[in-house]
Amino acid sequence: MREPVIDLVLKIQREEFSFDITTNDQPDLLDVPNFYQVGTGNFWVARSAGEVVGIIALRDIGNGQGALRKMFVKASNRGTVHSVAARLLDRLLASAKAQQVHEIFLGTTEKFHAAHRFYEKNHFGRVSPQSLPRAFPRMTLDTRFYRRVIR
Protein backbone atom coordinates (compact mmCIF):
# COMPACT_ATOMS: atom_id res chain seq x y z
CA MET A 1 0.00 0.00 0.00
CA ARG A 2 2.87 2.39 0.75
CA GLU A 3 4.21 2.68 -2.82
CA PRO A 4 0.88 3.59 -4.49
CA VAL A 5 0.30 6.28 -1.82
CA ILE A 6 3.79 7.72 -2.29
CA ASP A 7 3.37 7.65 -6.08
CA LEU A 8 0.08 9.58 -5.85
CA VAL A 9 1.53 12.25 -3.57
CA LEU A 10 4.76 12.76 -5.50
CA LYS A 11 3.00 12.88 -8.86
CA ILE A 12 0.69 15.66 -7.68
CA GLN A 13 3.45 17.60 -5.92
CA ARG A 14 5.96 17.36 -8.76
CA GLU A 15 3.90 17.27 -11.94
CA GLU A 16 0.94 19.47 -11.06
CA PHE A 17 2.65 22.01 -8.83
CA SER A 18 6.32 21.72 -9.83
CA PHE A 19 7.56 21.28 -6.28
CA ASP A 20 11.09 19.96 -6.00
CA ILE A 21 10.28 17.43 -3.29
CA THR A 22 11.14 13.80 -2.62
CA THR A 23 10.09 11.04 -0.29
CA ASN A 24 13.07 11.93 1.91
CA ASP A 25 11.46 15.35 2.48
CA GLN A 26 8.33 13.57 3.74
CA PRO A 27 9.38 10.88 6.22
CA ASP A 28 5.78 10.61 7.43
CA LEU A 29 4.95 8.73 4.21
CA LEU A 30 7.56 6.11 5.04
CA ASP A 31 6.14 5.44 8.51
CA VAL A 32 2.39 6.11 8.43
CA PRO A 33 1.54 3.90 11.45
CA ASN A 34 3.94 5.65 13.81
CA PHE A 35 3.35 9.15 12.46
CA TYR A 36 -0.42 9.23 11.91
CA GLN A 37 -2.06 6.20 13.50
CA VAL A 38 -1.27 7.25 17.05
CA GLY A 39 -3.70 8.64 19.63
CA THR A 40 -6.67 10.21 17.85
CA GLY A 41 -4.85 10.26 14.49
CA ASN A 42 -5.41 8.08 11.46
CA PHE A 43 -4.73 7.74 7.74
CA TRP A 44 -7.40 7.01 5.14
CA VAL A 45 -7.03 5.83 1.55
CA ALA A 46 -9.70 6.09 -1.16
CA ARG A 47 -9.63 3.48 -3.91
CA SER A 48 -11.43 3.13 -7.20
CA ALA A 49 -11.21 -0.15 -9.11
CA GLY A 50 -8.38 -1.17 -6.76
CA GLU A 51 -6.31 1.95 -7.51
CA VAL A 52 -5.36 4.53 -4.88
CA VAL A 53 -7.14 7.75 -5.92
CA GLY A 54 -7.02 9.78 -2.72
CA ILE A 55 -5.61 10.05 0.77
CA ILE A 56 -6.10 12.13 3.90
CA ALA A 57 -4.50 12.00 7.33
CA LEU A 58 -5.15 13.34 10.80
CA ARG A 59 -2.23 13.75 13.16
CA ASP A 60 -2.96 13.95 16.88
CA ILE A 61 -1.23 17.08 18.22
CA GLY A 62 -2.63 16.86 21.74
CA ASN A 63 -5.09 19.01 23.69
CA GLY A 64 -8.05 17.74 21.67
CA GLN A 65 -6.50 19.14 18.52
CA GLY A 66 -5.48 17.56 15.24
CA ALA A 67 -3.58 18.47 12.11
CA LEU A 68 -5.12 17.59 8.76
CA ARG A 69 -2.30 16.43 6.54
CA LYS A 70 -1.66 14.77 3.20
CA MET A 71 -4.97 15.46 1.49
CA PHE A 72 -4.37 14.47 -2.12
CA VAL A 73 -6.81 13.30 -4.78
CA LYS A 74 -5.86 12.06 -8.23
CA ALA A 75 -6.82 14.65 -10.88
CA SER A 76 -9.19 12.29 -12.70
CA ASN A 77 -11.10 11.69 -9.45
CA ARG A 78 -11.59 15.30 -8.37
CA GLY A 79 -14.79 17.29 -8.39
CA THR A 80 -18.36 16.82 -7.30
CA VAL A 81 -18.94 14.00 -9.80
CA HIS A 82 -16.65 11.73 -7.76
CA SER A 83 -16.74 13.53 -4.37
CA VAL A 84 -13.57 11.72 -3.28
CA ALA A 85 -12.21 14.76 -1.41
CA ALA A 86 -15.54 15.44 0.28
CA ARG A 87 -15.94 11.82 1.35
CA LEU A 88 -12.38 11.66 2.69
CA LEU A 89 -12.90 14.87 4.66
CA ASP A 90 -16.25 13.64 6.00
CA ARG A 91 -14.58 10.43 7.21
CA LEU A 92 -11.80 12.38 8.92
CA LEU A 93 -14.28 14.76 10.60
CA ALA A 94 -16.50 11.89 11.80
CA SER A 95 -13.48 10.13 13.27
CA ALA A 96 -12.22 13.35 14.88
CA LYS A 97 -15.60 13.99 16.48
CA ALA A 98 -15.84 10.41 17.76
CA GLN A 99 -12.34 10.77 19.24
CA GLN A 100 -13.33 14.09 20.90
CA VAL A 101 -11.00 16.22 18.77
CA HIS A 102 -12.45 19.73 18.97
CA GLU A 103 -10.16 21.65 16.58
CA ILE A 104 -8.45 20.75 13.33
CA PHE A 105 -5.68 22.85 11.80
CA LEU A 106 -4.07 22.56 8.41
CA GLY A 107 -1.39 24.18 6.34
CA THR A 108 -1.28 24.50 2.59
CA THR A 109 0.54 26.48 -0.04
CA GLU A 110 -0.59 29.56 -1.92
CA LYS A 111 -0.51 27.51 -5.14
CA PHE A 112 -3.36 25.20 -4.12
CA HIS A 113 -6.24 27.57 -5.06
CA ALA A 114 -8.78 24.78 -5.47
CA ALA A 115 -7.82 23.49 -2.02
CA HIS A 116 -8.41 26.94 -0.51
CA ARG A 117 -11.94 27.00 -1.96
CA PHE A 118 -12.57 23.43 -0.80
CA TYR A 119 -11.48 24.10 2.79
CA GLU A 120 -13.37 27.38 3.01
CA LYS A 121 -16.52 25.73 1.61
CA ASN A 122 -16.11 23.09 4.34
CA HIS A 123 -16.05 25.60 7.21
CA PHE A 124 -12.32 26.02 7.67
CA GLY A 125 -11.37 29.60 8.45
CA ARG A 126 -8.01 31.18 7.73
CA VAL A 127 -5.74 31.75 10.69
CA SER A 128 -2.38 33.43 11.09
CA PRO A 129 0.74 31.31 11.51
CA GLN A 130 1.19 32.87 14.95
CA SER A 131 -2.13 31.44 16.14
CA LEU A 132 -1.21 27.83 15.37
CA PRO A 133 -0.76 25.47 18.31
CA ARG A 134 2.85 24.94 19.29
CA ALA A 135 2.57 21.23 18.44
CA PHE A 136 1.30 21.90 14.90
CA PRO A 137 3.68 20.17 12.44
CA ARG A 138 4.57 22.92 9.97
CA MET A 139 5.87 22.03 6.54
CA THR A 140 8.36 24.26 4.75
CA LEU A 141 6.02 24.76 1.78
CA ASP A 142 3.01 25.77 3.92
CA THR A 143 2.19 29.47 3.74
CA ARG A 144 -1.56 29.50 4.33
CA PHE A 145 -3.22 28.06 7.41
CA TYR A 146 -6.76 27.08 8.35
CA ARG A 147 -8.73 26.01 11.44
CA ARG A 148 -12.05 24.28 11.90
CA VAL A 149 -13.89 23.80 15.16
CA ILE A 150 -15.60 20.41 15.55
CA ARG A 151 -18.97 20.46 17.26
Side-chain angles (χ1 to χ4, degrees):
M1 176 55 55
R2 185 168 93 172
E3 292 309 315
V5 166
I6 291 170
D7 291 345
L8 172 74
V9 172
L10 289 177
K11 181 174 180 149
I12 292 169
Q13 291 171 328
R14 291 176 179 170
E15 295 177 17
E16 291 185 40
F17 297 100
S18 301
F19 290 135
D20 184 21
I21 193 165
T22 69
T23 310
N24 291 335
D25 298 316
Q26 305 172 84
D28 56 318
L29 289 175
L30 299 174
D31 193 10
V32 165
N34 289 312
F35 194 85
Y36 292 112
Q37 296 170 317
V38 176
T40 60
N42 211 334
F43 191 94
W44 295 271
V45 176
R47 293 181 191 87
S48 178
E51 176 187 13
V52 173
V53 297
I55 62 168
I56 193 169
L58 180 67
R59 179 163 168 106
D60 183 343
I61 60 172
N63 297 319
Q65 298 171 319
L68 187 159
R69 301 276 306 265
K70 298 296 186 209
M71 183 163 195
F72 291 95
V73 175
K74 185 177 178 181
S76 61
N77 293 82
R78 293 181 192 149
T80 55
V81 171
H82 304 285
S83 298
V84 173
R87 288 185 286 152
L88 282 168
L89 180 61
D90 287 348
R91 182 66 187 101
L92 180 145
L93 293 171
S95 177
K97 186 173 184 174
Q99 296 285 333
Q100 299 180 331
V101 173
H102 60 84
E103 283 181 301
I104 296 178
F105 295 86
L106 68 92
T108 188
T109 176
E110 292 299 327
K111 286 187 173 188
F112 292 172
H113 300 288
H116 304 162
R117 289 188 300 276
F118 176 78
Y119 294 130
E120 290 164 8
K121 182 177 104 176
N122 284 283
H123 311 290
F124 283 84
R126 263 187 95 173
V127 295
S128 71
Q130 297 79 17
S131 68
L132 295 169
R134 194 171 296 198
F136 180 80
R138 290 183 66 170
M139 300 290 292
T140 307
L141 298 173
D142 290 344
T143 55
R144 184 181 280 226
F145 302 93
Y146 289 91
R147 171 184 173 255
R148 177 169 170 172
V149 174
I150 307 293
R151 292 192 169 97

